[in-house]
mmCIF file of all heavy atoms in Angstrom:
data_model
loop_
_atom_site.group_PDB
_atom_site.id
_atom_site.type_symbol
_atom_site.label_atom_id
_atom_site.label_comp_id
_atom_site.label_asym_id
_atom_site.label_seq_id
_atom_site.Cartn_x
_atom_site.Cartn_y
_atom_site.Cartn_z
ATOM 1 N N LYS B 29 -11.748 12.292 1.238
ATOM 2 C CA LYS B 29 -11.482 11.146 2.239
ATOM 3 C C LYS B 29 -10.882 9.959 1.552
ATOM 4 O O LYS B 29 -10.393 9.058 2.275
ATOM 5 C CB LYS B 29 -12.824 10.773 2.926
ATOM 6 C CG LYS B 29 -13.328 11.886 3.837
ATOM 7 C CD LYS B 29 -14.545 11.404 4.655
ATOM 8 C CE LYS B 29 -14.987 12.441 5.595
ATOM 9 N NZ LYS B 29 -16.171 11.985 6.414
ATOM 10 N N ASN B 30 -10.901 9.877 0.217
ATOM 11 C CA ASN B 30 -10.395 8.672 -0.440
ATOM 12 C C ASN B 30 -8.979 8.981 -0.969
ATOM 13 O O ASN B 30 -8.689 10.085 -1.394
ATOM 14 C CB ASN B 30 -11.280 8.267 -1.606
ATOM 15 C CG ASN B 30 -12.653 7.871 -1.164
ATOM 16 O OD1 ASN B 30 -12.793 7.380 -0.009
ATOM 17 N ND2 ASN B 30 -13.661 7.892 -2.062
ATOM 18 N N ARG B 31 -8.152 7.989 -0.945
ATOM 19 C CA ARG B 31 -6.764 8.190 -1.412
ATOM 20 C C ARG B 31 -6.109 6.835 -1.726
ATOM 21 O O ARG B 31 -6.536 5.817 -1.143
ATOM 22 C CB ARG B 31 -5.912 8.944 -0.414
ATOM 23 C CG ARG B 31 -5.716 8.281 0.922
ATOM 24 C CD ARG B 31 -5.017 9.128 1.945
ATOM 25 N NE ARG B 31 -4.729 8.449 3.122
ATOM 26 C CZ ARG B 31 -5.510 8.387 4.218
ATOM 27 N NH1 ARG B 31 -6.675 9.017 4.179
ATOM 28 N NH2 ARG B 31 -5.155 7.729 5.293
ATOM 29 N N ILE B 32 -5.156 6.863 -2.593
ATOM 30 C CA ILE B 32 -4.257 5.727 -2.842
ATOM 31 C C ILE B 32 -2.827 6.262 -2.722
ATOM 32 O O ILE B 32 -2.522 7.275 -3.283
ATOM 33 C CB ILE B 32 -4.471 5.075 -4.171
ATOM 34 C CG1 ILE B 32 -5.980 4.824 -4.444
ATOM 35 C CG2 ILE B 32 -3.724 3.726 -4.244
ATOM 36 C CD1 ILE B 32 -6.279 4.173 -5.796
ATOM 37 N N ILE B 33 -2.004 5.557 -1.950
ATOM 38 C CA ILE B 33 -0.679 6.065 -1.641
ATOM 39 C C ILE B 33 0.375 5.075 -2.098
ATOM 40 O O ILE B 33 0.288 3.863 -1.885
ATOM 41 C CB ILE B 33 -0.453 6.297 -0.111
ATOM 42 C CG1 ILE B 33 -1.678 7.043 0.471
ATOM 43 C CG2 ILE B 33 0.794 7.045 0.205
ATOM 44 C CD1 ILE B 33 -1.707 7.116 2.005
ATOM 45 N N ALA B 34 1.435 5.593 -2.739
ATOM 46 C CA ALA B 34 2.577 4.774 -3.187
ATOM 47 C C ALA B 34 3.758 5.027 -2.270
ATOM 48 O O ALA B 34 4.107 6.228 -2.064
ATOM 49 C CB ALA B 34 2.932 5.092 -4.610
ATOM 50 N N LEU B 35 4.318 3.997 -1.682
ATOM 51 C CA LEU B 35 5.487 4.123 -0.806
ATOM 52 C C LEU B 35 6.620 3.281 -1.360
ATOM 53 O O LEU B 35 6.780 2.057 -1.086
ATOM 54 C CB LEU B 35 5.123 3.623 0.649
ATOM 55 C CG LEU B 35 4.190 4.454 1.462
ATOM 56 C CD1 LEU B 35 2.719 4.086 1.115
ATOM 57 C CD2 LEU B 35 4.446 4.234 2.957
ATOM 58 N N PRO B 36 7.452 3.900 -2.211
ATOM 59 C CA PRO B 36 8.621 3.174 -2.748
ATOM 60 C C PRO B 36 9.794 3.222 -1.764
ATOM 61 O O PRO B 36 9.866 4.156 -0.945
ATOM 62 C CB PRO B 36 8.987 4.007 -3.998
ATOM 63 C CG PRO B 36 8.539 5.376 -3.689
ATOM 64 C CD PRO B 36 7.341 5.234 -2.798
ATOM 65 N N ALA B 37 10.625 2.194 -1.765
ATOM 66 C CA ALA B 37 11.711 2.164 -0.769
ATOM 67 C C ALA B 37 12.781 1.110 -1.238
ATOM 68 O O ALA B 37 12.489 0.152 -1.962
ATOM 69 C CB ALA B 37 11.178 1.837 0.609
ATOM 70 N N TYR B 38 13.959 1.328 -0.699
ATOM 71 C CA TYR B 38 15.041 0.375 -0.871
ATOM 72 C C TYR B 38 15.718 0.237 0.526
ATOM 73 O O TYR B 38 15.980 1.222 1.214
ATOM 74 C CB TYR B 38 16.096 0.841 -1.890
ATOM 75 C CG TYR B 38 17.404 0.116 -1.793
ATOM 76 C CD1 TYR B 38 17.546 -1.185 -2.260
ATOM 77 C CD2 TYR B 38 18.527 0.704 -1.198
ATOM 78 C CE1 TYR B 38 18.694 -1.920 -2.184
ATOM 79 C CE2 TYR B 38 19.727 0.006 -1.062
ATOM 80 C CZ TYR B 38 19.820 -1.315 -1.561
ATOM 81 O OH TYR B 38 21.007 -1.985 -1.467
ATOM 82 N N LEU B 39 16.014 -1.024 0.820
ATOM 83 C CA LEU B 39 16.741 -1.301 2.102
ATOM 84 C C LEU B 39 17.890 -2.219 1.834
ATOM 85 O O LEU B 39 17.713 -3.379 1.344
ATOM 86 C CB LEU B 39 15.773 -1.984 3.097
ATOM 87 C CG LEU B 39 16.247 -2.237 4.551
ATOM 88 C CD1 LEU B 39 16.690 -0.992 5.212
ATOM 89 C CD2 LEU B 39 15.224 -2.985 5.334
ATOM 90 N N GLY B 40 19.120 -1.769 2.063
ATOM 91 C CA GLY B 40 20.352 -2.550 1.846
ATOM 92 C C GLY B 40 20.800 -3.194 3.096
ATOM 93 O O GLY B 40 20.081 -3.676 3.885
ATOM 94 N N ASP B 41 22.171 -3.121 3.313
ATOM 95 C CA ASP B 41 22.782 -3.590 4.506
ATOM 96 C C ASP B 41 22.401 -5.045 4.826
ATOM 97 O O ASP B 41 21.967 -5.393 5.960
ATOM 98 C CB ASP B 41 22.434 -2.704 5.675
ATOM 99 C CG ASP B 41 23.320 -2.953 6.939
ATOM 100 O OD1 ASP B 41 24.448 -3.458 6.713
ATOM 101 O OD2 ASP B 41 22.890 -2.627 8.071
ATOM 102 N N GLY B 42 22.531 -5.883 3.823
ATOM 103 C CA GLY B 42 22.237 -7.326 4.019
ATOM 104 C C GLY B 42 20.795 -7.708 3.648
ATOM 105 O O GLY B 42 20.514 -8.911 3.540
ATOM 106 N N PHE B 43 19.883 -6.737 3.532
ATOM 107 C CA PHE B 43 18.523 -7.042 3.150
ATOM 108 C C PHE B 43 18.335 -7.145 1.689
ATOM 109 O O PHE B 43 17.689 -7.978 1.188
ATOM 110 C CB PHE B 43 17.554 -5.966 3.774
ATOM 111 C CG PHE B 43 17.423 -6.048 5.221
ATOM 112 C CD1 PHE B 43 18.277 -5.352 6.107
ATOM 113 C CD2 PHE B 43 16.395 -6.810 5.804
ATOM 114 C CE1 PHE B 43 18.117 -5.406 7.491
ATOM 115 C CE2 PHE B 43 16.257 -6.937 7.148
ATOM 116 C CZ PHE B 43 17.090 -6.248 8.000
ATOM 117 N N SER B 44 18.870 -6.108 0.938
ATOM 118 C CA SER B 44 18.714 -6.017 -0.519
ATOM 119 C C SER B 44 17.234 -6.165 -0.942
ATOM 120 O O SER B 44 16.875 -7.082 -1.747
ATOM 121 C CB SER B 44 19.513 -7.140 -1.218
ATOM 122 O OG SER B 44 20.929 -6.963 -0.991
ATOM 123 N N VAL B 45 16.446 -5.313 -0.403
ATOM 124 C CA VAL B 45 15.014 -5.282 -0.664
ATOM 125 C C VAL B 45 14.634 -3.946 -1.363
ATOM 126 O O VAL B 45 15.027 -2.912 -0.946
ATOM 127 C CB VAL B 45 14.152 -5.394 0.622
ATOM 128 C CG1 VAL B 45 12.683 -5.278 0.389
ATOM 129 C CG2 VAL B 45 14.509 -6.685 1.369
ATOM 130 N N ALA B 46 13.882 -4.098 -2.490
ATOM 131 C CA ALA B 46 13.419 -2.888 -3.180
ATOM 132 C C ALA B 46 11.974 -3.172 -3.607
ATOM 133 O O ALA B 46 11.581 -4.294 -3.825
ATOM 134 C CB ALA B 46 14.275 -2.572 -4.361
ATOM 135 N N GLY B 47 11.169 -2.108 -3.730
ATOM 136 C CA GLY B 47 9.811 -2.271 -4.167
ATOM 137 C C GLY B 47 8.927 -1.108 -3.779
ATOM 138 O O GLY B 47 9.419 -0.043 -3.464
ATOM 139 N N VAL B 48 7.635 -1.399 -3.731
ATOM 140 C CA VAL B 48 6.666 -0.363 -3.423
ATOM 141 C C VAL B 48 5.447 -0.969 -2.769
ATOM 142 O O VAL B 48 5.053 -2.104 -3.067
ATOM 143 C CB VAL B 48 6.271 0.395 -4.726
ATOM 144 C CG1 VAL B 48 5.535 -0.550 -5.712
ATOM 145 C CG2 VAL B 48 5.392 1.602 -4.391
ATOM 146 N N LYS B 49 4.893 -0.193 -1.822
ATOM 147 C CA LYS B 49 3.601 -0.533 -1.240
ATOM 148 C C LYS B 49 2.576 0.417 -1.893
ATOM 149 O O LYS B 49 2.811 1.633 -1.875
ATOM 150 C CB LYS B 49 3.562 -0.387 0.274
ATOM 151 C CG LYS B 49 2.183 -0.715 0.870
ATOM 152 C CD LYS B 49 2.158 -0.683 2.394
ATOM 153 C CE LYS B 49 2.209 0.769 2.922
ATOM 154 N NZ LYS B 49 1.896 0.817 4.395
ATOM 155 N N TRP B 50 1.483 -0.087 -2.418
ATOM 156 C CA TRP B 50 0.416 0.683 -3.081
ATOM 157 C C TRP B 50 -0.838 0.393 -2.258
ATOM 158 O O TRP B 50 -1.425 -0.628 -2.346
ATOM 159 C CB TRP B 50 0.370 0.180 -4.476
ATOM 160 C CG TRP B 50 -0.658 0.851 -5.427
ATOM 161 C CD1 TRP B 50 -1.654 0.197 -6.108
ATOM 162 C CD2 TRP B 50 -0.751 2.219 -5.809
ATOM 163 N NE1 TRP B 50 -2.345 1.094 -6.860
ATOM 164 C CE2 TRP B 50 -1.837 2.319 -6.680
ATOM 165 C CE3 TRP B 50 -0.057 3.388 -5.463
ATOM 166 C CZ2 TRP B 50 -2.214 3.572 -7.287
ATOM 167 C CZ3 TRP B 50 -0.399 4.601 -6.042
ATOM 168 C CH2 TRP B 50 -1.500 4.661 -6.945
ATOM 169 N N ILE B 51 -1.222 1.389 -1.413
ATOM 170 C CA ILE B 51 -2.284 1.170 -0.438
ATOM 171 C C ILE B 51 -3.384 2.176 -0.610
ATOM 172 O O ILE B 51 -3.100 3.388 -0.711
ATOM 173 C CB ILE B 51 -1.689 1.139 1.007
ATOM 174 C CG1 ILE B 51 -2.842 0.823 2.010
ATOM 175 C CG2 ILE B 51 -0.949 2.465 1.334
ATOM 176 C CD1 ILE B 51 -2.322 0.498 3.396
ATOM 177 N N SER B 52 -4.614 1.720 -0.609
ATOM 178 C CA SER B 52 -5.753 2.634 -0.727
ATOM 179 C C SER B 52 -6.579 2.732 0.532
ATOM 180 O O SER B 52 -6.542 1.790 1.335
ATOM 181 C CB SER B 52 -6.662 2.148 -1.862
ATOM 182 O OG SER B 52 -7.304 0.946 -1.526
ATOM 183 N N SER B 53 -7.203 3.853 0.703
ATOM 184 C CA SER B 53 -8.112 4.053 1.816
ATOM 185 C C SER B 53 -9.391 4.653 1.287
ATOM 186 O O SER B 53 -9.381 5.830 0.854
ATOM 187 C CB SER B 53 -7.500 4.965 2.873
ATOM 188 O OG SER B 53 -8.408 5.287 3.933
ATOM 189 N N PHE B 54 -10.495 3.937 1.302
ATOM 190 C CA PHE B 54 -11.791 4.342 0.873
ATOM 191 C C PHE B 54 -12.813 4.143 1.971
ATOM 192 O O PHE B 54 -13.193 2.983 2.259
ATOM 193 C CB PHE B 54 -12.190 3.556 -0.380
ATOM 194 C CG PHE B 54 -11.571 4.037 -1.657
ATOM 195 C CD1 PHE B 54 -10.217 4.065 -1.848
ATOM 196 C CD2 PHE B 54 -12.383 4.565 -2.731
ATOM 197 C CE1 PHE B 54 -9.585 4.601 -3.004
ATOM 198 C CE2 PHE B 54 -11.794 5.051 -3.886
ATOM 199 C CZ PHE B 54 -10.388 5.048 -4.026
ATOM 200 N N LEU B 55 -13.202 5.200 2.633
ATOM 201 C CA LEU B 55 -14.101 5.104 3.761
ATOM 202 C C LEU B 55 -15.457 4.442 3.442
ATOM 203 O O LEU B 55 -16.058 3.786 4.292
ATOM 204 C CB LEU B 55 -14.324 6.474 4.393
ATOM 205 C CG LEU B 55 -13.097 7.042 5.184
ATOM 206 C CD1 LEU B 55 -13.426 8.388 5.741
ATOM 207 C CD2 LEU B 55 -12.684 6.118 6.305
ATOM 208 N N GLY B 56 -15.895 4.706 2.213
ATOM 209 C CA GLY B 56 -17.198 4.131 1.807
ATOM 210 C C GLY B 56 -17.229 2.556 1.787
ATOM 211 O O GLY B 56 -18.306 2.034 1.745
ATOM 212 N N ASN B 57 -16.075 1.995 1.844
ATOM 213 C CA ASN B 57 -16.045 0.551 1.862
ATOM 214 C C ASN B 57 -16.701 -0.055 3.067
ATOM 215 O O ASN B 57 -17.262 -1.125 3.044
ATOM 216 C CB ASN B 57 -14.558 0.044 1.786
ATOM 217 C CG ASN B 57 -13.971 0.209 0.406
ATOM 218 O OD1 ASN B 57 -14.668 0.549 -0.546
ATOM 219 N ND2 ASN B 57 -12.700 -0.069 0.291
ATOM 220 N N LEU B 58 -16.634 0.705 4.154
ATOM 221 C CA LEU B 58 -17.222 0.214 5.445
ATOM 222 C C LEU B 58 -18.725 -0.010 5.243
ATOM 223 O O LEU B 58 -19.327 -0.947 5.781
ATOM 224 C CB LEU B 58 -16.913 1.140 6.552
ATOM 225 C CG LEU B 58 -15.423 1.343 6.836
ATOM 226 C CD1 LEU B 58 -15.196 2.395 7.949
ATOM 227 C CD2 LEU B 58 -14.763 0.000 7.296
ATOM 228 N N GLU B 59 -19.425 0.856 4.502
ATOM 229 C CA GLU B 59 -20.803 0.763 4.271
ATOM 230 C C GLU B 59 -21.080 -0.389 3.308
ATOM 231 O O GLU B 59 -22.175 -0.955 3.327
ATOM 232 C CB GLU B 59 -21.322 2.075 3.721
ATOM 233 C CG GLU B 59 -21.253 3.208 4.648
ATOM 234 C CD GLU B 59 -21.704 4.515 3.999
ATOM 235 O OE1 GLU B 59 -22.186 4.490 2.817
ATOM 236 O OE2 GLU B 59 -21.642 5.514 4.693
ATOM 237 N N ARG B 60 -20.092 -0.769 2.541
ATOM 238 C CA ARG B 60 -20.239 -1.875 1.612
ATOM 239 C C ARG B 60 -19.912 -3.240 2.285
ATOM 240 O O ARG B 60 -20.023 -4.316 1.703
ATOM 241 C CB ARG B 60 -19.295 -1.718 0.376
ATOM 242 C CG ARG B 60 -19.579 -0.495 -0.414
ATOM 243 C CD ARG B 60 -18.600 -0.398 -1.620
ATOM 244 N NE ARG B 60 -18.846 0.767 -2.408
ATOM 245 C CZ ARG B 60 -18.159 1.911 -2.302
ATOM 246 N NH1 ARG B 60 -17.213 2.044 -1.412
ATOM 247 N NH2 ARG B 60 -18.497 2.995 -3.105
ATOM 248 N N GLY B 61 -19.499 -3.201 3.527
ATOM 249 C CA GLY B 61 -19.212 -4.397 4.267
ATOM 250 C C GLY B 61 -17.823 -4.933 3.989
ATOM 251 O O GLY B 61 -17.530 -6.138 4.190
ATOM 252 N N ILE B 62 -16.935 -4.130 3.433
ATOM 253 C CA ILE B 62 -15.545 -4.553 3.157
ATOM 254 C C ILE B 62 -14.589 -3.591 3.855
ATOM 255 O O ILE B 62 -14.984 -2.555 4.308
ATOM 256 C CB ILE B 62 -15.255 -4.601 1.672
ATOM 257 C CG1 ILE B 62 -15.503 -3.241 0.988
ATOM 258 C CG2 ILE B 62 -16.106 -5.653 0.928
ATOM 259 C CD1 ILE B 62 -15.136 -3.201 -0.472
ATOM 260 N N GLU B 63 -13.347 -4.030 3.992
ATOM 261 C CA GLU B 63 -12.339 -3.221 4.735
ATOM 262 C C GLU B 63 -12.100 -1.894 4.035
ATOM 263 O O GLU B 63 -12.063 -1.779 2.816
ATOM 264 C CB GLU B 63 -11.081 -3.981 4.867
ATOM 265 C CG GLU B 63 -11.150 -5.307 5.646
ATOM 266 C CD GLU B 63 -11.406 -5.054 7.151
ATOM 267 O OE1 GLU B 63 -11.277 -3.887 7.556
ATOM 268 O OE2 GLU B 63 -11.687 -6.003 7.852
ATOM 269 N N ARG B 64 -11.840 -0.891 4.881
ATOM 270 C CA ARG B 64 -11.510 0.469 4.368
ATOM 271 C C ARG B 64 -10.256 0.416 3.498
ATOM 272 O O ARG B 64 -10.187 1.046 2.428
ATOM 273 C CB ARG B 64 -11.267 1.405 5.587
ATOM 274 C CG ARG B 64 -10.763 2.793 5.208
ATOM 275 C CD ARG B 64 -10.391 3.573 6.444
ATOM 276 N NE ARG B 64 -9.322 2.956 7.223
ATOM 277 C CZ ARG B 64 -8.017 3.046 7.002
ATOM 278 N NH1 ARG B 64 -7.593 3.766 5.980
ATOM 279 N NH2 ARG B 64 -7.110 2.374 7.798
ATOM 280 N N ALA B 65 -9.211 -0.251 3.967
ATOM 281 C CA ALA B 65 -7.902 -0.275 3.313
ATOM 282 C C ALA B 65 -7.665 -1.593 2.571
ATOM 283 O O ALA B 65 -8.053 -2.630 2.996
ATOM 284 C CB ALA B 65 -6.769 -0.018 4.319
ATOM 285 N N SER B 66 -7.026 -1.401 1.412
ATOM 286 C CA SER B 66 -6.576 -2.557 0.612
ATOM 287 C C SER B 66 -5.207 -2.208 0.056
ATOM 288 O O SER B 66 -4.910 -1.023 -0.149
ATOM 289 C CB SER B 66 -7.516 -2.954 -0.459
ATOM 290 O OG SER B 66 -7.710 -1.859 -1.393
ATOM 291 N N ALA B 67 -4.348 -3.209 -0.206
ATOM 292 C CA ALA B 67 -2.991 -2.885 -0.593
ATOM 293 C C ALA B 67 -2.357 -4.059 -1.332
ATOM 294 O O ALA B 67 -2.729 -5.212 -1.113
ATOM 295 C CB ALA B 67 -2.171 -2.481 0.595
ATOM 296 N N VAL B 68 -1.402 -3.694 -2.131
ATOM 297 C CA VAL B 68 -0.471 -4.718 -2.697
ATOM 298 C C VAL B 68 0.960 -4.256 -2.438
ATOM 299 O O VAL B 68 1.233 -3.058 -2.362
ATOM 300 C CB VAL B 68 -0.670 -4.979 -4.199
ATOM 301 C CG1 VAL B 68 -1.983 -5.648 -4.466
ATOM 302 C CG2 VAL B 68 -0.554 -3.686 -4.984
ATOM 303 N N VAL B 69 1.855 -5.161 -2.275
ATOM 304 C CA VAL B 69 3.328 -4.881 -2.240
ATOM 305 C C VAL B 69 3.980 -5.561 -3.371
ATOM 306 O O VAL B 69 3.724 -6.770 -3.620
ATOM 307 C CB VAL B 69 3.926 -5.390 -0.877
ATOM 308 C CG1 VAL B 69 5.393 -5.184 -0.847
ATOM 309 C CG2 VAL B 69 3.299 -4.680 0.285
ATOM 310 N N ILE B 70 4.767 -4.833 -4.070
ATOM 311 C CA ILE B 70 5.569 -5.414 -5.192
ATOM 312 C C ILE B 70 7.022 -5.374 -4.770
ATOM 313 O O ILE B 70 7.557 -4.331 -4.402
ATOM 314 C CB ILE B 70 5.348 -4.535 -6.461
ATOM 315 C CG1 ILE B 70 3.910 -4.567 -6.929
ATOM 316 C CG2 ILE B 70 6.254 -5.115 -7.628
ATOM 317 C CD1 ILE B 70 3.617 -3.681 -8.111
ATOM 318 N N LEU B 71 7.665 -6.552 -4.801
ATOM 319 C CA LEU B 71 9.060 -6.647 -4.446
ATOM 320 C C LEU B 71 9.787 -6.817 -5.777
ATOM 321 O O LEU B 71 9.431 -7.516 -6.695
ATOM 322 C CB LEU B 71 9.299 -7.905 -3.611
ATOM 323 C CG LEU B 71 8.661 -7.922 -2.249
ATOM 324 C CD1 LEU B 71 8.997 -9.224 -1.555
ATOM 325 C CD2 LEU B 71 9.146 -6.733 -1.406
ATOM 326 N N ASN B 72 10.919 -6.091 -5.957
ATOM 327 C CA ASN B 72 11.772 -6.081 -7.077
ATOM 328 C C ASN B 72 13.163 -6.649 -6.786
ATOM 329 O O ASN B 72 13.673 -6.400 -5.725
ATOM 330 C CB ASN B 72 11.964 -4.682 -7.721
ATOM 331 C CG ASN B 72 10.621 -4.165 -8.265
ATOM 332 O OD1 ASN B 72 9.740 -3.673 -7.520
ATOM 333 N ND2 ASN B 72 10.503 -4.145 -9.577
ATOM 334 N N SER B 73 13.719 -7.341 -7.739
ATOM 335 C CA SER B 73 15.056 -7.847 -7.582
ATOM 336 C C SER B 73 16.044 -6.634 -7.605
ATOM 337 O O SER B 73 15.926 -5.714 -8.443
ATOM 338 C CB SER B 73 15.450 -8.749 -8.745
ATOM 339 O OG SER B 73 16.832 -8.992 -8.788
ATOM 340 N N THR B 74 16.989 -6.598 -6.657
ATOM 341 C CA THR B 74 17.965 -5.516 -6.693
ATOM 342 C C THR B 74 19.093 -5.747 -7.671
ATOM 343 O O THR B 74 19.994 -4.954 -7.811
ATOM 344 C CB THR B 74 18.508 -5.333 -5.251
ATOM 345 O OG1 THR B 74 19.057 -6.532 -4.777
ATOM 346 C CG2 THR B 74 17.447 -4.859 -4.274
#
């Protein structure tokens, strides 16, 4: 039930955005009183 997912991507056409979303889902967090999902987004210069 636990996982961490990496979503890399690039978007051009005037956006010039590159980077990755690194997002976790840990169901046991709910019993700890914290959110199931947590994440960071890293933006890179194109």
